[in-house]
Amino acid sequence: DTEVTQTPKHLVMGMTNKKSLKCEQHMGHRAMYWYKQKAKKPPELMFVYSYEKLSINESVPSRFSPECPNSSLLNLHLHALQPEDSALYLCASSQGITRGGANEKLFFGSGTQLSVL
Amino acid sequence: GNSVTQMEGPVTLSEEAFLTINCTYTATGYPSLFWYVQYPGEGLQLLLKATKADDKGSNKGFEATYRKETTSFHLEKGSVQVSDSAVYFCALLNSGGSNYKLTFGKGTLLTVNP
């Protein structure tokens, strides 16, 4: 199994809603990532978890709250989002986060297309 | 800081044409270089990579050579297919530190017509 599975594929929410994005991998990877991708732009790193602990937060607003319940799961909790937060949210995983060999390969999910009304 | 510059798209080619997508980078140290591909409606997939100068990455007929003297990592394919239509991202990972952060170029949209 070399897949990163994200659910839901599409999500529409209002600015007062609370929703969660989910990501799952069963490759034994110990690093997991959230990226945000606006249309026709490259992905932007949001968060990195390593061994279930938050390793990197790229100054993301607190209305985005990540959670890593175990080594296979990564969630992104959304609350009080703004229309400009509409984007494709990509989850990724890798063996580890230190440089070298196989650790450098990121496996991406297909993303959740989020629309905030 | 790190940066990646790749040619502006979109690029439109006929099937079996030769493809080049230019990519140059700025980085301190000795970065690893990557090409990722994103098909419509999907996430990114690693296409190929090179970890040191003069390395050639190759996959599915695509090739790119790590040129330190010109700080370049141009993507080439001798004969493109309709199924190669996608967005291609050049990226680098710097050797400094233990944190993992890819720096992406802006992406190049390739459309291959039959």
Tab-separated table of all heavy atoms in Angstrom, chain B residues 63-113:
chain	number	residue	atom	x	y	z
B	63	GLU	N	13.834	12.977	-18.263
B	63	GLU	CA	15.176	13.056	-17.707
B	63	GLU	C	15.475	14.477	-17.251
B	63	GLU	O	14.940	15.437	-17.813
B	63	GLU	CB	16.228	12.680	-18.769
B	63	GLU	CG	16.207	11.262	-19.219
B	63	GLU	CD	17.322	10.992	-20.218
B	63	GLU	OE1	17.861	11.957	-20.787
B	63	GLU	OE2	17.643	9.814	-20.414
B	64	ALA	N	16.328	14.588	-16.245
B	64	ALA	CA	16.830	15.903	-15.830
B	64	ALA	C	18.196	15.691	-15.220
B	64	ALA	O	18.406	14.735	-14.459
B	64	ALA	CB	15.899	16.570	-14.830
B	65	THR	N	19.146	16.581	-15.544
B	65	THR	CA	20.509	16.469	-15.041
B	65	THR	C	20.817	17.645	-14.126
B	65	THR	O	20.556	18.798	-14.479
B	65	THR	CB	21.521	16.433	-16.191
B	65	THR	OG1	21.232	15.311	-17.027
B	65	THR	CG2	22.947	16.310	-15.658
B	66	TYR	N	21.350	17.352	-12.962
B	66	TYR	CA	21.715	18.343	-11.952
B	66	TYR	C	22.993	19.031	-12.418
B	66	TYR	O	24.072	18.445	-12.406
B	66	TYR	CB	21.950	17.602	-10.640
B	66	TYR	CG	22.146	18.403	-9.382
B	66	TYR	CD1	21.593	17.933	-8.196
B	66	TYR	CD2	22.898	19.575	-9.329
B	66	TYR	CE1	21.792	18.606	-6.998
B	66	TYR	CE2	23.087	20.255	-8.151
B	66	TYR	CZ	22.541	19.767	-6.976
B	66	TYR	OH	22.740	20.437	-5.803
B	67	ARG	N	22.882	20.301	-12.820
B	67	ARG	CA	24.027	21.059	-13.322
B	67	ARG	C	24.372	22.141	-12.304
B	67	ARG	O	23.701	23.175	-12.229
B	67	ARG	CB	23.691	21.719	-14.668
B	67	ARG	CG	23.296	20.757	-15.749
B	67	ARG	CD	24.483	20.051	-16.326
B	67	ARG	NE	24.119	19.251	-17.514
B	67	ARG	CZ	24.818	18.227	-17.958
B	67	ARG	NH1	25.923	17.838	-17.310
B	67	ARG	NH2	24.438	17.577	-19.032
B	68	LYS	N	25.427	21.896	-11.544
B	68	LYS	CA	25.789	22.859	-10.489
B	68	LYS	C	26.356	24.135	-11.096
B	68	LYS	O	26.121	25.234	-10.594
B	68	LYS	CB	26.798	22.215	-9.542
B	68	LYS	CG	26.979	22.950	-8.222
B	68	LYS	CD	27.768	22.114	-7.237
B	68	LYS	CE	27.749	22.704	-5.846
B	68	LYS	NZ	28.330	24.052	-5.773
B	69	GLU	N	27.088	23.991	-12.223
B	69	GLU	CA	27.758	25.166	-12.801
B	69	GLU	C	26.754	26.175	-13.348
B	69	GLU	O	27.024	27.375	-13.357
B	69	GLU	CB	28.744	24.728	-13.886
B	69	GLU	CG	28.141	24.052	-15.099
B	69	GLU	CD	27.902	22.555	-14.917
B	69	GLU	OE1	27.982	22.059	-13.773
B	69	GLU	OE2	27.590	21.899	-15.922
B	70	THR	N	25.601	25.678	-13.788
B	70	THR	CA	24.565	26.581	-14.305
B	70	THR	C	23.358	26.652	-13.376
B	70	THR	O	22.361	27.294	-13.700
B	70	THR	CB	24.075	26.125	-15.692
B	70	THR	OG1	23.669	24.755	-15.611
B	70	THR	CG2	25.178	26.265	-16.725
B	71	THR	N	23.457	26.038	-12.211
B	71	THR	CA	22.354	25.935	-11.235
B	71	THR	C	21.038	25.624	-11.932
B	71	THR	O	20.032	26.335	-11.769
B	71	THR	CB	22.238	27.201	-10.361
B	71	THR	OG1	21.946	28.345	-11.176
B	71	THR	CG2	23.500	27.430	-9.579
B	72	SER	N	21.042	24.536	-12.697
B	72	SER	CA	19.856	24.190	-13.482
B	72	SER	C	19.491	22.727	-13.316
B	72	SER	O	20.324	21.884	-12.938
B	72	SER	CB	20.087	24.503	-14.967
B	72	SER	OG	21.107	23.683	-15.473
B	73	PHE	N	18.224	22.429	-13.630
B	73	PHE	CA	17.699	21.062	-13.555
B	73	PHE	C	16.552	20.977	-14.551
B	73	PHE	O	15.398	20.771	-14.209
B	73	PHE	CB	17.244	20.765	-12.127
B	73	PHE	CG	16.974	19.311	-11.818
B	73	PHE	CD1	17.940	18.342	-12.033
B	73	PHE	CD2	15.756	18.928	-11.282
B	73	PHE	CE1	17.693	17.008	-11.730
B	73	PHE	CE2	15.503	17.591	-10.980
B	73	PHE	CZ	16.472	16.641	-11.205
B	74	HIS	N	16.888	21.103	-15.827
B	74	HIS	CA	15.880	21.176	-16.881
B	74	HIS	C	15.258	19.801	-17.133
B	74	HIS	O	15.982	18.791	-17.231
B	74	HIS	CB	16.486	21.692	-18.184
B	74	HIS	CG	17.163	23.026	-18.041
B	74	HIS	ND1	16.657	24.051	-17.267
B	74	HIS	CD2	18.319	23.488	-18.587
B	74	HIS	CE1	17.461	25.083	-17.335
B	74	HIS	NE2	18.480	24.781	-18.129
B	75	LEU	N	13.955	19.770	-17.309
B	75	LEU	CA	13.233	18.523	-17.573
B	75	LEU	C	13.104	18.328	-19.079
B	75	LEU	O	12.732	19.264	-19.801
B	75	LEU	CB	11.847	18.582	-16.935
B	75	LEU	CG	10.983	17.334	-17.074
B	75	LEU	CD1	11.579	16.184	-16.255
B	75	LEU	CD2	9.550	17.610	-16.626
B	76	GLU	N	13.385	17.108	-19.552
B	76	GLU	CA	13.298	16.806	-20.977
B	76	GLU	C	12.607	15.463	-21.200
B	76	GLU	O	12.705	14.560	-20.370
B	76	GLU	CB	14.699	16.748	-21.611
B	76	GLU	CG	15.438	18.065	-21.582
B	76	GLU	CD	16.793	17.979	-22.245
B	76	GLU	OE1	17.347	16.869	-22.339
B	76	GLU	OE2	17.299	19.032	-22.681
B	77	LYS	N	11.924	15.395	-22.329
B	77	LYS	CA	11.381	14.117	-22.786
B	77	LYS	C	11.419	14.129	-24.302
B	77	LYS	O	11.018	15.109	-24.935
B	77	LYS	CB	9.963	13.888	-22.289
B	77	LYS	CG	9.447	12.481	-22.641
B	77	LYS	CD	8.094	12.181	-22.040
B	77	LYS	CE	7.719	10.726	-22.320
B	77	LYS	NZ	6.380	10.355	-21.807
B	78	GLY	N	11.875	13.037	-24.874
B	78	GLY	CA	12.080	13.009	-26.314
B	78	GLY	C	10.798	12.963	-27.130
B	78	GLY	O	10.745	13.490	-28.247
B	79	SER	N	9.744	12.365	-26.597
B	79	SER	CA	8.514	12.178	-27.366
B	79	SER	C	7.336	12.162	-26.384
B	79	SER	O	7.113	11.167	-25.709
B	79	SER	CB	8.584	10.877	-28.152
B	79	SER	OG	7.373	10.630	-28.837
B	80	VAL	N	6.629	13.290	-26.309
B	80	VAL	CA	5.546	13.379	-25.317
B	80	VAL	C	4.281	12.699	-25.820
B	80	VAL	O	4.058	12.554	-27.037
B	80	VAL	CB	5.247	14.848	-24.950
B	80	VAL	CG1	6.426	15.475	-24.226
B	80	VAL	CG2	4.852	15.663	-26.171
B	81	GLN	N	3.462	12.291	-24.872
B	81	GLN	CA	2.176	11.659	-25.152
B	81	GLN	C	1.054	12.511	-24.556
B	81	GLN	O	1.299	13.329	-23.652
B	81	GLN	CB	2.141	10.256	-24.544
B	81	GLN	CG	3.289	9.360	-24.975
B	81	GLN	CD	3.314	9.162	-26.480
B	81	GLN	OE1	2.285	8.860	-27.094
B	81	GLN	NE2	4.476	9.360	-27.085
B	82	VAL	N	-0.156	12.283	-25.051
B	82	VAL	CA	-1.309	13.019	-24.518
B	82	VAL	C	-1.417	12.837	-23.004
B	82	VAL	O	-1.748	13.765	-22.261
B	82	VAL	CB	-2.606	12.574	-25.220
B	82	VAL	CG1	-3.823	13.183	-24.541
B	82	VAL	CG2	-2.573	12.954	-26.699
B	83	SER	N	-1.074	11.637	-22.553
B	83	SER	CA	-1.174	11.321	-21.123
B	83	SER	C	-0.155	12.072	-20.266
B	83	SER	O	-0.227	12.036	-19.027
B	83	SER	CB	-1.003	9.824	-20.892
B	83	SER	OG	0.237	9.384	-21.428
B	84	ASP	N	0.796	12.762	-20.891
B	84	ASP	CA	1.768	13.574	-20.140
B	84	ASP	C	1.205	14.949	-19.778
B	84	ASP	O	1.862	15.726	-19.078
B	84	ASP	CB	3.054	13.763	-20.945
B	84	ASP	CG	3.818	12.472	-21.147
B	84	ASP	OD1	3.770	11.614	-20.236
B	84	ASP	OD2	4.434	12.311	-22.220
B	85	SER	N	0.022	15.265	-20.260
B	85	SER	CA	-0.592	16.563	-19.951
B	85	SER	C	-0.808	16.687	-18.452
B	85	SER	O	-1.501	15.860	-17.837
B	85	SER	CB	-1.927	16.699	-20.691
B	85	SER	OG	-1.743	16.646	-22.087
B	86	ALA	N	-0.205	17.697	-17.859
B	86	ALA	CA	-0.227	17.853	-16.408
B	86	ALA	C	0.508	19.152	-16.064
B	86	ALA	O	1.024	19.843	-16.947
B	86	ALA	CB	0.474	16.676	-15.719
B	87	VAL	N	0.556	19.445	-14.772
B	87	VAL	CA	1.383	20.556	-14.283
B	87	VAL	C	2.668	19.970	-13.703
B	87	VAL	O	2.613	19.009	-12.921
B	87	VAL	CB	0.652	21.393	-13.216
B	87	VAL	CG1	1.553	22.525	-12.713
B	87	VAL	CG2	-0.643	21.964	-13.782
B	88	TYR	N	3.797	20.533	-14.073
B	88	TYR	CA	5.096	20.041	-13.633
B	88	TYR	C	5.738	21.080	-12.710
B	88	TYR	O	5.830	22.271	-13.050
B	88	TYR	CB	5.990	19.770	-14.838
B	88	TYR	CG	5.496	18.591	-15.638
B	88	TYR	CD1	4.450	18.736	-16.550
B	88	TYR	CD2	6.034	17.320	-15.451
B	88	TYR	CE1	3.961	17.653	-17.258
B	88	TYR	CE2	5.554	16.232	-16.162
B	88	TYR	CZ	4.520	16.405	-17.060
B	88	TYR	OH	4.028	15.319	-17.751
B	89	PHE	N	6.177	20.616	-11.529
B	89	PHE	CA	6.805	21.490	-10.538
B	89	PHE	C	8.250	21.066	-10.325
B	89	PHE	O	8.531	19.902	-10.035
B	89	PHE	CB	6.091	21.398	-9.183
B	89	PHE	CG	4.707	21.973	-9.167
B	89	PHE	CD1	3.595	21.154	-9.319
B	89	PHE	CD2	4.505	23.327	-8.969
B	89	PHE	CE1	2.304	21.679	-9.282
B	89	PHE	CE2	3.227	23.863	-8.935
B	89	PHE	CZ	2.130	23.034	-9.097
B	90	CYS	N	9.146	22.027	-10.449
B	90	CYS	CA	10.535	21.827	-10.062
B	90	CYS	C	10.647	22.197	-8.576
B	90	CYS	O	9.977	23.141	-8.120
B	90	CYS	CB	11.435	22.716	-10.913
B	90	CYS	SG	13.199	22.499	-10.680
B	91	ALA	N	11.472	21.493	-7.820
B	91	ALA	CA	11.558	21.770	-6.383
B	91	ALA	C	12.956	21.444	-5.885
B	91	ALA	O	13.682	20.646	-6.485
B	91	ALA	CB	10.521	20.948	-5.611
B	92	LEU	N	13.310	22.072	-4.780
B	92	LEU	CA	14.594	21.761	-4.156
B	92	LEU	C	14.417	21.551	-2.662
B	92	LEU	O	13.500	22.078	-2.034
B	92	LEU	CB	15.638	22.838	-4.430
B	92	LEU	CG	15.568	24.209	-3.764
B	92	LEU	CD1	16.141	24.202	-2.336
B	92	LEU	CD2	16.357	25.215	-4.587
B	93	LEU	N	15.305	20.754	-2.105
B	93	LEU	CA	15.396	20.536	-0.666
B	93	LEU	C	16.817	20.850	-0.271
B	93	LEU	O	17.751	20.230	-0.774
B	93	LEU	CB	15.065	19.088	-0.321
B	93	LEU	CG	15.334	18.691	1.130
B	93	LEU	CD1	14.406	19.454	2.055
B	93	LEU	CD2	15.138	17.187	1.311
B	94	ASN	N	16.968	21.827	0.632
B	94	ASN	CA	18.314	22.231	0.989
B	94	ASN	C	18.912	21.281	2.012
B	94	ASN	O	18.193	20.644	2.780
B	94	ASN	CB	18.326	23.658	1.537
B	94	ASN	CG	19.626	24.364	1.203
B	94	ASN	OD1	20.684	23.748	1.253
B	94	ASN	ND2	19.549	25.617	0.860
B	95	SER	N	20.206	21.194	1.997
B	95	SER	CA	20.898	20.267	2.879
B	95	SER	C	21.025	20.809	4.294
B	95	SER	O	21.378	20.092	5.201
B	95	SER	CB	22.293	19.978	2.340
B	95	SER	OG	23.033	21.178	2.236
B	96	GLY	N	20.730	22.082	4.489
B	96	GLY	CA	20.933	22.661	5.806
B	96	GLY	C	19.857	22.251	6.784
B	96	GLY	O	18.683	22.270	6.462
B	97	GLY	N	20.225	21.898	7.978
B	97	GLY	CA	19.258	21.620	9.024
B	97	GLY	C	18.593	20.272	8.852
B	97	GLY	O	18.823	19.542	7.900
B	98	SER	N	17.755	19.930	9.789
B	98	SER	CA	17.097	18.632	9.747
B	98	SER	C	15.619	18.755	9.412
B	98	SER	O	14.913	17.767	9.376
B	98	SER	CB	17.259	17.925	11.094
B	98	SER	OG	16.646	18.713	12.110
B	99	ASN	N	15.137	19.956	9.226
B	99	ASN	CA	13.727	20.094	8.886
B	99	ASN	C	13.521	19.964	7.395
B	99	ASN	O	14.372	20.339	6.601
B	99	ASN	CB	13.202	21.454	9.350
B	99	ASN	CG	13.125	21.529	10.858
B	99	ASN	OD1	12.834	20.537	11.514
B	99	ASN	ND2	13.403	22.685	11.396
B	100	TYR	N	12.380	19.443	7.059
B	100	TYR	CA	12.098	19.115	5.672
B	100	TYR	C	11.169	20.152	5.090
B	100	TYR	O	10.028	20.256	5.494
B	100	TYR	CB	11.447	17.735	5.612
B	100	TYR	CG	11.302	17.200	4.215
B	100	TYR	CD1	12.158	16.239	3.721
B	100	TYR	CD2	10.286	17.654	3.390
B	100	TYR	CE1	12.017	15.741	2.447
B	100	TYR	CE2	10.141	17.159	2.116
B	100	TYR	CZ	11.013	16.200	1.649
B	100	TYR	OH	10.874	15.705	0.388
B	101	LYS	N	11.655	20.945	4.157
B	101	LYS	CA	10.773	21.896	3.508
B	101	LYS	C	11.180	22.025	2.061
B	101	LYS	O	12.243	22.536	1.745
B	101	LYS	CB	10.852	23.270	4.184
B	101	LYS	CG	9.893	24.273	3.583
B	101	LYS	CD	9.938	25.592	4.324
B	101	LYS	CE	8.983	26.587	3.670
B	101	LYS	NZ	9.015	27.884	4.369
B	102	LEU	N	10.303	21.543	1.193
B	102	LEU	CA	10.531	21.681	-0.236
B	102	LEU	C	10.247	23.111	-0.672
B	102	LEU	O	9.265	23.711	-0.242
B	102	LEU	CB	9.597	20.754	-1.004
B	102	LEU	CG	9.974	19.271	-1.114
B	102	LEU	CD1	8.820	18.510	-1.724
B	102	LEU	CD2	11.232	19.092	-1.920
B	103	THR	N	11.102	23.644	-1.510
B	103	THR	CA	10.840	24.932	-2.165
B	103	THR	C	10.430	24.620	-3.592
B	103	THR	O	11.198	24.027	-4.347
B	103	THR	CB	12.088	25.823	-2.141
B	103	THR	OG1	12.469	26.065	-0.787
B	103	THR	CG2	11.794	27.143	-2.835
B	104	PHE	N	9.215	25.019	-3.950
B	104	PHE	CA	8.675	24.709	-5.270
B	104	PHE	C	8.814	25.893	-6.218
B	104	PHE	O	8.749	27.060	-5.798
B	104	PHE	CB	7.174	24.387	-5.180
B	104	PHE	CG	6.847	23.050	-4.586
B	104	PHE	CD1	6.530	22.934	-3.243
B	104	PHE	CD2	6.839	21.906	-5.368
B	104	PHE	CE1	6.203	21.702	-2.690
B	104	PHE	CE2	6.511	20.670	-4.823
B	104	PHE	CZ	6.203	20.566	-3.486
B	105	GLY	N	8.964	25.594	-7.508
B	105	GLY	CA	8.749	26.603	-8.528
B	105	GLY	C	7.257	26.816	-8.718
B	105	GLY	O	6.432	26.142	-8.091
B	106	LYS	N	6.891	27.741	-9.593
B	106	LYS	CA	5.480	28.105	-9.753
B	106	LYS	C	4.680	27.093	-10.552
B	106	LYS	O	3.453	27.176	-10.595
B	106	LYS	CB	5.374	29.480	-10.408
B	106	LYS	CG	5.878	30.597	-9.502
B	106	LYS	CD	5.644	31.962	-10.117
B	106	LYS	CE	6.068	33.054	-9.135
B	106	LYS	NZ	5.835	34.409	-9.676
B	107	GLY	N	5.356	26.157	-11.192
B	107	GLY	CA	4.641	25.154	-11.962
B	107	GLY	C	4.519	25.531	-13.429
B	107	GLY	O	4.396	26.710	-13.771
B	108	THR	N	4.546	24.522	-14.292
B	108	THR	CA	4.377	24.725	-15.729
B	108	THR	C	3.307	23.775	-16.214
B	108	THR	O	3.433	22.556	-16.046
B	108	THR	CB	5.689	24.446	-16.484
B	108	THR	OG1	6.717	25.296	-15.988
B	108	THR	CG2	5.506	24.682	-17.980
B	109	LEU	N	2.256	24.337	-16.791
B	109	LEU	CA	1.182	23.531	-17.346
B	109	LEU	C	1.568	23.059	-18.734
B	109	LEU	O	1.872	23.859	-19.615
B	109	LEU	CB	-0.120	24.328	-17.405
B	109	LEU	CG	-1.296	23.657	-18.122
B	109	LEU	CD1	-1.706	22.375	-17.398
B	109	LEU	CD2	-2.476	24.611	-18.248
B	110	LEU	N	1.564	21.747	-18.919
B	110	LEU	CA	1.834	21.145	-20.223
B	110	LEU	C	0.560	20.545	-20.777
B	110	LEU	O	-0.101	19.760	-20.093
B	110	LEU	CB	2.901	20.047	-20.094
B	110	LEU	CG	3.110	19.175	-21.329
B	110	LEU	CD1	3.693	19.994	-22.474
B	110	LEU	CD2	4.018	17.986	-21.012
B	111	THR	N	0.230	20.902	-22.000
B	111	THR	CA	-0.891	20.298	-22.717
B	111	THR	C	-0.344	19.659	-23.974
B	111	THR	O	0.334	20.323	-24.762
B	111	THR	CB	-1.957	21.340	-23.076
B	111	THR	OG1	-2.421	21.979	-21.882
B	111	THR	CG2	-3.126	20.691	-23.789
B	112	VAL	N	-0.635	18.352	-24.142
B	112	VAL	CA	-0.197	17.634	-25.332
B	112	VAL	C	-1.432	17.273	-26.148
B	112	VAL	O	-2.340	16.596	-25.648
B	112	VAL	CB	0.587	16.362	-24.963
B	112	VAL	CG1	1.034	15.634	-26.235
B	112	VAL	CG2	1.787	16.705	-24.094
B	113	ASN	N	-1.454	17.735	-27.379
B	113	ASN	CA	-2.586	17.474	-28.265
B	113	ASN	C	-2.300	16.291	-29.190
B	113	ASN	O	-1.169	16.099	-29.604
B	113	ASN	CB	-2.885	18.705	-29.119
B	113	ASN	CG	-3.354	19.879	-28.278
B	113	ASN	OD1	-4.134	19.697	-27.354
B	113	ASN	ND2	-2.894	21.071	-28.597
